[in-house]
Amino acid sequence: MGAIAALEGCTKRYPGVLALDNATFRVAPGEVRALLGKNGAGKSTLIRLLTGAEVPDSGTVTIAGAALVQGGSARAQEAFSRGVRVVYQELSLVPGMSIAENLFLGRWPRQAGILDYTGMEAEARVAMQRLGLDMRPSDPVAGLSPAERQLVEIARVLLGKPKLVILDEPTSSLAAAEAEKVMTAVQRIAADGIAVIYISHRMNEIRQIARSATIMRDGRIIDTVDVAGADTREIVRLMLGSEATQSAALETKAREKIILDVADLALAPKLNSISFRLREGEVLGIAGLLGAGRTELLQAIMGVRPFERGRIAVDGKAVGRPGYRAMLKRGFGYTPESRKEEGIVPLLGVDENTVVTDFSAVSRRGVLSARRIAEATRKVIARLHVKTASTETPIGSLSGGNQQKVVIGRWVHADSRILLLDEPTRGVDVEAKAQIYAIIRQLAAEGRSVIFVSSEIEELPLVCDRVLVLREGRLQEEFTSPNIDQDAVMAACIAGH
């Protein structure tokens, strides 16, 4: 079967960067092709050429049997008219509008100059039925779960007659059970003869839905491998260009001292009688499905969200009803789940985003010192291996992995000794994940204590000394390294669902 979309010998340069180097790529109708590579490998550039957002410096882009010939904004419209659709990692839905209004956002159908709500909802219903979705087109997006919002984004690209659908990290913010809904939708799309390019860092998903995977590195297409017969370590080696850096062997250095004692904590409707202890120098993982209450648990401990019942003790001393400032003074640090919305100020520099947790350390007689800010930031950059042109580079221009290192680094700057990390590797590539694991293990080796919340079960054994499973409002099971089996943890998470 011929290719529905292809790049032939495409090269794309930006100032100082060879983003794509003589790339040849083809995908056939009904095929699900995984696209793998760390940040900066060239995946985004390849996608931008296929969607017409960019013109190659050399080479040809072919969609539905004909080369794209237009330039500028007309090129993207040309690709769209031939059936290219894309769903980006950052969702673009408007919460205050209905599902149908979001599906037709920017191109609402009209009759006699009046919005055709009846026709719009009818077409929306058909698009959702193609994915097996049981939702009313009139339902507001604000009331949907994250997985349902992702599915609405996918339903939107099915309007018209798409031939190629590109999905950029569609499950990065979803727990495994929620991700299953998205993968089922992908399988339905492919069964209709639509080609799918699936960008993800989750190998478990890729093995489930893709037959082949194209691996990119340094702007080049390195290989396309059969997923069923490919060893994960070999795929990672192709992505990195050398044997992947293994995460540090988990040599537990947790001490007997109990640094945090949580007892009978309740926060309706998510948490009911939560009790656990965190030791000095320990990395404690919290596993659970999306919506299980993991984020709420961290927020309750940090004083961001008041709980209804329970006791918290730090260093053996009762805290009572903790407040955020009070927990900061006790040495707590908290990184939120949504890095871009809550974790960083994109337009401010790496320096300002780093020292925000402790201005006193970079001040002199109550006045901020530019020299001290730069020195403190350079220490964090060096220690956490942050890749940035300078301390003043806007943090929003860094890769996701480097942004996350700064978010963690600000608590190193504040010398926090108890870190509450909510999805600290969400949406970052495999190399950055390994670096973040190593950072967390090093912090634990120094005697800091970490609570590590993650939706990616497979990473918990790589970084945690213990894992607690949160289900139905309670901590149900406990796993201890080296006996943290991801299949057993997943089974514990979904028991009863």
Side-chain angles (χ1 to χ4, degrees), residues 183-202:
M183 288 186 284
T184 298
V186 172
Q187 290 167 333
R188 282 176 174 261
I189 294 171
D192 284 344
I194 300 170
V196 178
I197 296 175
Y198 191 89
I199 303 172
S200 177
H201 295 117
R202 296 182 172 186

Side-chain angles (χ1 to χ4, degrees), residues 36-38 201 215-217 235-241 430:
L36 306 176
K38 65 180 184 180
H201 295 117
I215 300 155
M216 300 189 69
R217 184 178 76 241
I235 289 175
V236 172
R237 187 191 67 79
L238 291 171
M239 290 170 62
L240 300 182
V430 64

Side-chain angles (χ1 to χ4, degrees), residues 7 17 39 66 84 87-88 92 125 138 147 177 195 217 253 258 273 293 295 309 312 421 444 450 458:
L7 303 183
V17 178
N39 289 346
V84 179
V87 177
Y88 291 105
S92 58
R125 192 173 291 108
S138 58
R217 184 178 76 241
K253 296 185 178 180
I258 302 299
S273 191
T295 293
R309 185 184 74 244
I312 292 179
L421 309 181
V450 179
E458 61 269 24

Side-chain angles (χ1 to χ4, degrees), residues 104 124 161 234 261 319 321 333 432 467:
F104 288 89
K161 297 181 179 180
E234 175 62 14
D261 190 349
V319 176
R321 289 284 186 262
V467 173

Side-chain angles (χ1 to χ4, degrees), residues 62-76:
T62 302
I63 306 294
L68 297 182
V69 296
Q70 300 290 338
S73 60
R75 189 178 182 89

